[in-house]
Amino acid sequence: PCPCPPTSHAHRSRATTMPVLSLLLFAASVTAQDLGCKKFTDIYADGTALCENMWGGAFKVVENVSEAYTMWFFDDVNPNDEISQRLNPDGNTSVCNLQYFHKTLPTPEGDDFTECHPWKEASCCTANVANATNLKISYGEEYHWDRCGTLSPACERFFVQEACFYECSPHIGLYRKYGGSACDAADTQCSTVYNASDSSHNTWQVHQMPIRKDYCDSWLVACANDMFCSADNGDYFSCARVQPTPEPTSFPTMSPTGPTVVENNTTSDDSLSGGIIALIVILAVVAVGLVGLMCFVLCREKAGKPLFKPLDENKAGTSMPAHASAADGHRPQAV
């Protein structure tokens, strides 16, 4: 029933409206709550924690720059060549040991290869893979790095650099978790031999690749005021399991068979999701307004002061139009 005067009952309409609005606000924020969005500096104590926690053990941070790789460079000669020769003299960087979007061999790319330009002369990725859009969306919505909000350009650039490093560098394949030559014999978490019949093995995962500490520290500085998922101490793969859609096949999972591919023409749903939320809010406000109007009309009727009155069929000099029926004469007319 609609709340009508006396005024002692007026609070009921507010009690009815507030849960609706609260529900809408909850729906708009539930994803952020599930992701546990926080500032980078509230998730990671330092650059070491960022590089080691975010990528689920793919990297280990090393302070000595002569014993660690960098994810980006501007030199004509790849500085990681020397690092591999020192740390993995028997490793083969003439092949692309990771297998997913990767090429079989690192080969030169053309002049359109600009996003991941440090690897232009010897790249394990193609220009189609190595563009800013595809680097972000190719693994599905759950792996978008800006699920907690738009990142600053300085912060996002580090995510692009890491993606270029993973997709394009021939050196990272030495640290393939199953089948990488750099696996320490004493490390039971990796193997130098890939066993296709072993359900725990895959061809795309990286394990304990040494990364320069100064690079990781710079990453945290660049992202200090940005927001990121804090699930499992900011683990990228744990965050990916917080699904914004009910389609588990639209993103890669930590499985032996590797991630599920999303076609390169996939577009981001971020703006669509915002539009849907806005539409829901607008429709809810309209619905609440209509309910309020109906209640107002009913209350006026009960008080003997209706907003609408019946047509006066017996006014002198007034006759019913020839095409009208008796029932038509009782249609309300606004006063």
Side-chain angles (χ1 to χ4, degrees), residues 67-82:
E67 295 183 355
Y69 294 86
T70 181
M71 294 187 186
W72 198 257
F73 59 92
F74 296 97
D75 304 329
D76 293 334
V77 177
N78 188 339
N80 291 332
D81 292 343
E82 182 180 349

Side-chain angles (χ1 to χ4, degrees), residues 145 150-161 219 222-223 226:
W145 47 65
T150 302
L151 299 178
S152 65
C155 180
E156 185 167 36
R157 189 63 201 155
F158 276 88
F159 283 91
V160 172
Q161 290 177 4
W219 191 338
C223 296
D226 291 275

Side-chain angles (χ1 to χ4, degrees), residues 100-113:
Y100 196 67
F101 291 127
H102 306 77
K103 297 188 293 189
T104 303
L105 303 174
T107 56
E109 288 292 322
D111 291 338
D112 60 340
F113 192 83

Side-chain angles (χ1 to χ4, degrees), residues 21 24 279-293:
L21 297 178
L24 292 170
L279 179 61
I280 292 174
V281 172
I282 292 172
L283 292 177
V285 171
V286 172
V288 170
L290 290 175
V291 170
L293 178 61

